[in-house]
Amino acid sequence: MFRTTKSQKYIFTLVTLIYWISMYIYVPTFSPYLNSKGFSLQFIGIVISSYGLVQLLVRFPLGIWSDRFGKRKPFIVLGMLCALISCLLFLLSGSWIWPLAGRIVAGVCASTWVAYTVMYAGFFKTEQTGRAMGNISFVTVSGQMIGMLLSGWLADGFHANMPFIIGAAAAVLGLLLALFLQEHAVNDRQGMSLANVKEVVKTKLLWRVSYLSILAHCVLFITMFGFTPLKAEALGAGGLELTIVVFAFMLPHAVASFITATIFVPRFGQYGTIMISFVLSGICTAAIAIVPSLELLYVTQAVNGFAQGLHLPLFLGLAIKEVASWGRATAMGLYQAVYAAGMFSGPFLAGFLNQQWGLGSGFALGSVLALAAAIFTAIWAGQERKRKKKLPAEMPSSLQG
């Protein structure tokens, strides 16, 4: 950990906010935009899922490189540059390759999130990791919400390309601000050796959290970041209604990420909070498929957004909880690479099901995955309780269930 000035924290927070705005300013209108261009639901699923596939391939090696060099800033700058390039690619027309290429570059951009989370965690003491991840999750969701709220208004009030134009402009601003970030080398070892990587990879808690996060991101990228906007359109939504759908999901999502560590975890424990969130998410995701009106869709989004906001910050903190500072980017890279499998497979499978059996089948898949995650959480919570009982009374557990 290194001491940092308030101005540096403000710059970092602003860069993080802009980073997410530039990536999510087109998300609510993206699948309708592709649909309006005549692309099939299956191709839309492929484009959306390519974002996760790239992260699956890139995040882990990026985390290792960050730990090897003991630097986070170069990867943050890279992320802002990729945000700019991806928005510019979406503005190109005439071929299916451009939206696919733009989403692939956006996946590289999102892969640099490894560096953001680890750099921010370094501002806090180790025992404050949960609080740090709650804070940065709140900034993350706030940036996503601002971008997504602007999306429908820009597309409906100006032009379908306007979200990409404003996203590119935001990325330029974020890139300039990122150049003013300062950091010290955080690695107390001479690079990341293969033995160091193996030490991190053997962390049991890291893998459990990663598996649950795969399922969580399957649900997230099937719903709000995938096909929920198409459901809203099928119910008659225009730009204003899409904005309401986004607001209904993202505001509770932001609130939940901010209060989960202070209100829910003290009362229900970490595993209990995660189970509750998955059950609620599964019920609401199933409901999306059958709601007959926009008003009821708003309700499902509010509850689903809150539920998904409960577990995602906990996963971030748990992923690096048992890892030393020198290996945190590696651990975070592995965690984020593994859950990217959900960002890829969720919309890919849902796109195929939607093409064959209608839009509701993808939401049914998301519901089943959420409930499966709740079952896995219950099983691991039971195993953890048994493990604690076997520990000597004077020995503290390294896990907080």
Side-chain angles (χ1 to χ4, degrees):
M1 188 184 75
F2 63 89
R3 296 183 63 85
T4 187
T5 63
K6 286 186 177 181
S7 63
Q8 280 293 301
K9 287 184 179 179
Y10 291 147
I11 293 173
F12 183 89
T13 300
L14 188 56
V15 169
T16 302
L17 194 70
I18 294 172
Y19 171 79
W20 288 111
I21 289 173
S22 64
M23 274 199 296
Y24 277 76
I25 195 168
Y26 56 82
V27 166
T29 58
F30 191 53
S31 53
Y33 172 80
L34 294 178
N35 193 46
S36 71
K37 297 293 184 181
F39 295 117
S40 69
L41 290 175
Q42 190 168 355
F43 177 75
I44 293 172
I46 291 172
V47 172
I48 295 172
S49 64
S50 66
Y51 176 76
L53 178 60
V54 172
Q55 293 174 63
L56 177 64
L57 299 175
V58 172
R59 273 180 161 169
F60 187 38
L62 189 149
I64 294 174
W65 293 335
S66 180
D67 276 335
R68 183 172 182 81
F69 300 126
K71 291 290 185 180
R72 319 303 182 199
K73 178 180 174 178
F75 300 96
I76 291 173
V77 172
L78 173 64
M80 293 308 312
L81 182 61
C82 287
L84 170 61
I85 294 171
S86 67
C87 286
L88 294 178
L89 286 171
F90 289 131
L91 291 172
L92 300 177
S93 60
S95 172
W96 58 268
I97 195 67
W98 301 123
L100 181 59
R103 203 58 179 151
I104 288 173
V105 176
V108 177
C109 173
S111 297
T112 63
W113 180 234
V114 173
Y116 282 84
T117 50
V118 177
M119 186 173 183
Y120 190 74
F123 295 163
F124 296 80
K125 297 178 180 178
T126 302
E127 60 270 21
Q128 295 178 312
T129 298
R131 173 189 164 194
M133 293 301 98
N135 290 349
I136 199 169
S137 293
F138 179 75
V139 176
T140 296
V141 176
S142 297
Q144 292 172 344
M145 181 171 64
I146 292 170
M148 293 171 75
L149 287 175
L150 289 172
S151 184
W153 173 69
L154 290 171
D156 203 39
F158 296 92
H159 190 274
N161 286 336
M162 189 57 69
F164 306 124
I165 295 172
I166 300 301
V172 171
L173 176 60
L175 179 60
L176 294 175
L177 287 172
L179 297 176
F180 290 94
L181 287 173
Q182 299 175 1
E183 68 169 338
H184 299 285
V186 296
N187 204 341
D188 54 5
R189 299 193 178 190
Q190 295 300 314
M192 283 294 289
S193 67
L194 181 60
N196 298 152
V197 174
K198 287 182 177 179
E199 185 177 340
V200 172
V201 169
K202 287 191 298 184
T203 307
K204 188 175 183 179
L205 179 60
L206 169 61
W207 280 105
R208 284 187 171 181
V209 171
S210 299
Y211 293 146
L212 290 177
S213 201
I214 289 175
L215 298 175
H217 283 82
C218 274
V219 177
L220 182 59
F221 278 77
I222 287 172
T223 55
M224 188 66 252
F225 296 161
F227 294 98
T228 298
L230 281 180
K231 173 66 176 184
E233 272 201 337
L235 293 174
L240 175 61
E241 289 78 15
L242 282 175
T243 300
I244 297 174
V245 168
V246 170
F247 188 76
F249 182 94
M250 296 303 293
L251 181 61
H253 195 67
V255 171
S257 68
F258 194 65
I259 66 174
T260 182
T262 56
I263 295 180
F264 280 83
V265 171
R267 176 169 295 186
F268 302 107
Q270 290 180 328
Y271 282 119
T273 300
I274 292 169
M275 280 189 288
I276 290 170
S277 65
F278 274 124
V279 170
L280 286 175
S281 183
I283 294 171
C284 290
T285 300
I288 295 173
I290 59 175
V291 291
S293 67
L294 281 171
E295 290 75 18
L296 289 175
L297 182 65
Y298 300 152
V299 174
T300 66
Q301 293 312 287
V303 180
N304 211 347
F306 187 84
Q308 294 186 38
L310 288 176
H311 53 235
L312 293 178
L314 293 181
F315 292 156
L316 278 175
L318 289 169
I320 58 175
K321 184 182 177 72
E322 296 185 341
V323 179
S325 60
W326 53 264
R328 281 186 162 188
T330 300
M332 188 62 76
L334 175 61
Y335 163 70
Q336 294 184 7
V338 172
Y339 80 56
M343 299 163 66
F344 162 71
S345 59
F348 181 83
L349 293 173
F352 175 79
L353 293 175
N354 291 339
Q355 186 72 28
Q356 299 298 317
W357 293 287
L359 198 56
S361 58
F363 297 124
L365 171 65
S367 177
V368 169
L369 294 175
L371 295 176
I375 293 171
F376 284 126
T377 304
I379 293 172
W380 288 333
Q383 292 176 351
E384 178 59 21
R385 282 193 295 269
K386 291 180 181 179
R387 190 186 72 84
K388 285 182 177 180
K389 289 180 180 179
K390 294 179 181 179
L391 292 174
E394 68 276 7
M395 182 182 295
S397 172
S398 61
L399 295 174
Q400 300 296 322

